[in-house]
Amino acid sequence: MGEPGREEYEIQSFDAETQRLLKTALKEPGAVDLEKVANVIVDQSLKDCMFSKEAGRICYTIIQVNNMPMMALVNPVYDCLFRLAQPDSLHKEEEVDCLVLQLHRIGEQLEKMNGQRMDELFGLLRDGFLLQGGLSSLSQLLLLELIEFRAAGWRTTPAAQKYYYSEVSD
């Protein structure tokens, strides 16, 4: 199943040319137009919410080379995160989980590159947490943990670790 240590990505839904573009971006980000890559990923994520998690993995892999590719991805990634922070998405636990996972992975870097958009995003998340009825207990817990994670400088404090991640044993 491929070389050891190499991840496979779910990009079969794209046409052959777009698959080649994405594969090249994953192997050698400097060899492609990253804005075009970002737009393809965002467009697909907005059409198919289930692809959003895969989109986050792809973007995460691309930016691991260095932060230069990140500049082209900042606004499209924010667009995806804003989509996941909308009221209809906050009512779906898998979408909240995806949002939280991506912000745990790249939130700090995104904030350094565009802090104003991060403030706007967290305003939406805070309002969703405080003002929306009908959120599941898990979604509320994930959002609260994320808000505290950012407030603590993108770190999990020992108290938060104990509160959110320790299981009660009988």
Side-chain angles (χ1 to χ4, degrees), residues 100 104 141-149 156 164-165:
V100 170
H104 270 265
L141 185 74
L142 288 169
L143 289 173
L144 182 60
E145 187 275 338
L146 183 60
I147 291 166
E148 289 186 14
F149 183 69
T156 302
Y164 292 108
Y165 300 108

Side-chain angles (χ1 to χ4, degrees), residues 86-100:
Q86 295 304 308
D88 61 318
S89 292
L90 293 178
H91 282 91
K92 300 174 185 167
E93 288 180 355
E94 61 276 355
E95 292 187 23
V96 173
D97 187 48
C98 178
L99 173 72
V100 170

